[in-house]
Amino acid sequence: MAEEGDRVAQLVVGYAYYKGGCVARNYRLAREWFYLSALQGNAAAQMNLAYMYAHGYGVEADVQQAAQWREKAEANPNLDLKSYRDLLLK
């Protein structure tokens, strides 16, 4: 499903790579899957990208990129982070 472009599946795959366990932890792949989901308007993926850029997980830390993704998420009309709270990075 994620490979076919399902944005929620992409979020879940990104989270799996971020956390590790069922797959080997890989921050670079996590960022890629979050990015694909975020481009489709998934607010949770946008917030996760902001977190990864803020903390330098899988990318070089970049406060401007972090701020841009956070702003996109907060302006997202589909912002329903309660539904995705278990898939948000902390």
Side-chain angles (χ1 to χ4, degrees):
M1 291 172 51
E3 291 177 343
E4 284 99 36
D6 183 285
R7 68 185 184 168
V8 174
Q10 291 168 338
L11 171 67
V12 171
V13 171
Y15 189 78
Y17 277 115
Y18 180 83
K19 283 296 190 182
C22 59
V23 295
R25 179 177 285 168
N26 186 321
Y27 293 138
R28 185 187 59 76
L29 286 175
R31 193 216 65 87
E32 287 179 22
W33 284 107
F34 289 145
Y35 180 74
L36 291 173
S37 182
L39 287 179
Q40 294 187 72
N42 187 300
Q46 293 167 342
M47 290 295 278
N48 286 349
L49 278 177
Y51 183 90
M52 293 186 83
Y53 276 107
H55 298 281
Y57 289 116
V59 295
E60 190 171 323
D62 185 331
V63 294
Q64 289 180 332
Q65 281 287 325
Q68 288 174 352
W69 282 110
R70 184 171 195 80
E71 288 170 13
K72 282 185 184 193
E74 290 172 348
N76 191 324
N78 300 316
L79 184 64
D80 180 18
L81 297 179
K82 292 178 189 171
S83 299
Y84 297 109
R85 72 175 170 261
D86 293 335
L87 297 174
L88 291 172
L89 305 182
K90 302 173 185 102

